[in-house]
Structure formats: C-alpha cells, structure tokens
Amino acid sequence: MRIGVSDKRIKLLLRTPPGEAVRGLQPAVAMSIRIRFGVLSAADSLKEAADAHPEWRTHRYGGSKTLWSIDVTGSTRLLFDYNTKAKEITNMTYDDPH
C-alpha cells in the first residue's frame, strides 16, 4: 500500500536509521510508528493491516468517511486519509487529539 506522510516528525523518522533519536518523538513512540508504518506499507489494504493487529484499534475517526485513526501509545494516534479504491493512505500525521 502507498503511504503519503504530511507530518515532519514522521518524515524525519523514516529518513533516520532505527535507534537514532528523532526530535519531537520519544524512542518508544518512534518504534511504534516504525512498526505501524512497516505493516501498513506491506499490507494490500487497510483492512488487512487492521485485521492482523486488532490491538491498534484502527477505526474511522470522528464519523468521517475518509479520516482514519490508529492507536500508537496512550491517547496518541496516527491520523490519515484512506482511499479505499486506490488503497492509498495520504496526509498521515501523529497527534494527540484528546
């Protein structure tokens, strides 16, 4: 699946070797995001990734038809738009919406 990222911290994380610090992200959070990004990238669809990891609580966010949420840690989430037909994630951000 293709993933488009708009969050500067996630972009930096993806360019940084594993284990190196990323400003604005705690090490445990960075590892959780890396894992989720890897699973999403390898999956054929969002449903496949969600079914494989129900503990991530992948769900539509706030009743939106296109905005989705995946738990990272505590109340933090990866928020993104998902196009079902194109099987593409866009505008991925890391946020604490609560």
Side-chain angles (χ1 to χ4, degrees), residues 3 28-42 49 53 55-56 70-73 78 92:
I3 303 175
V29 169
M31 180 58 71
S32 292
I33 292 172
R34 280 186 193 277
I35 291 167
R36 284 152 178 76
F37 195 89
V39 169
L40 290 169
S41 296
H53 295 279
E55 69 277 13
W56 294 353
I70 294 179
D71 288 2
V72 177
T73 59
L78 289 175
M92 181 180 280

Side-chain angles (χ1 to χ4, degrees), residues 46 59-61 63-69 79-84 88-91:
L46 183 58
H59 60 281
R60 290 182 195 267
Y61 186 73
S64 172
K65 292 186 179 188
T66 61
L67 186 63
W68 287 78
S69 171
L79 300 172
F80 54 88
D81 292 314
Y82 181 66
N83 181 316
T84 306
E88 180 178 51
I89 289 174
T90 56
N91 301 319

Side-chain angles (χ1 to χ4, degrees), residues 13-30:
L13 175 68
L14 298 175
R15 292 190 307 259
T16 304
E20 286 190 25
V22 174
R23 186 176 181 177
L25 294 175
Q26 295 293 326
V29 169

